[in-house]
Amino acid sequence: MAKRYKFTYKDTQYTLEYNRASVQVLEKQGFRLDQIEAQPLTMVTLLFAGAFLMHHKNVNPKLIEEIFRKFKNRGELIANLVEMYQEPLVALFDEPEDDEGNIQGEMED
């Protein structure tokens, strides 16, 4: 089951989560997980804003920035977002649980 991060800000409940579509949008915007330490301002901002895409895609970017500034324990928040971001990537390479209808191929010379 996908992990979610829930919180309330100004009487509005938000659910942060990633799926394959939101990860693809982030990648198209230039997000690279391996660059989070080299470009923290850019990458952390994209990571946080990207977590809104799945459930709250129409939230104003200025509001997202305001919300981020109000968070305590941002290091823990970012660690949770990184873990959540990786879930759709890991699921992409998971093997099917059953064999019915699955495709098996082989390379020819």
Side-chain angles (χ1 to χ4, degrees):
M1 174 180 261
K3 293 181 180 169
R4 297 180 175 131
Y5 194 98
K6 293 185 176 189
F7 66 94
T8 302
Y9 182 68
K10 292 187 177 179
D11 297 324
T12 301
Q13 183 163 352
Y14 295 92
T15 301
L16 304 183
E17 186 176 8
Y18 298 97
N19 60 12
R20 286 174 66 175
S22 59
V23 168
Q24 285 178 320
V25 169
L26 279 177
E27 289 174 350
K28 287 177 183 174
Q29 292 175 344
F31 180 77
R32 290 190 44 196
L33 189 57
D34 65 336
Q35 290 295 307
I36 208 160
E37 288 185 26
Q39 298 177 319
L41 185 60
T42 301
M43 296 305 150
V44 168
T45 301
L46 284 172
L47 181 67
F48 185 68
F52 284 80
L53 293 173
M54 190 169 164
H55 299 288
H56 311 283
K57 65 181 176 185
N58 295 321
V59 174
N60 185 306
K62 290 185 188 253
L63 177 58
I64 292 173
E65 185 179 326
E66 177 183 318
I67 291 170
F68 184 74
R69 286 194 316 261
K70 297 288 185 176
F71 261 99
K72 292 183 177 184
N73 302 319
R74 286 189 203 124
E76 182 179 319
L77 169 66
I78 297 308
N80 287 326
L81 292 176
V82 166
E83 184 177 335
M84 291 163 46
Y85 172 84
Q86 291 176 321
E87 280 189 338
L89 304 175
V90 170
L92 180 64
F93 294 102
D94 280 349
E95 292 292 329
E97 292 183 17
D98 61 23
D99 285 334
E100 187 176 331
N102 292 329
I103 299 170
Q104 179 77 27
E106 61 185 50
M107 186 67 125
E108 290 185 353
D109 290 328

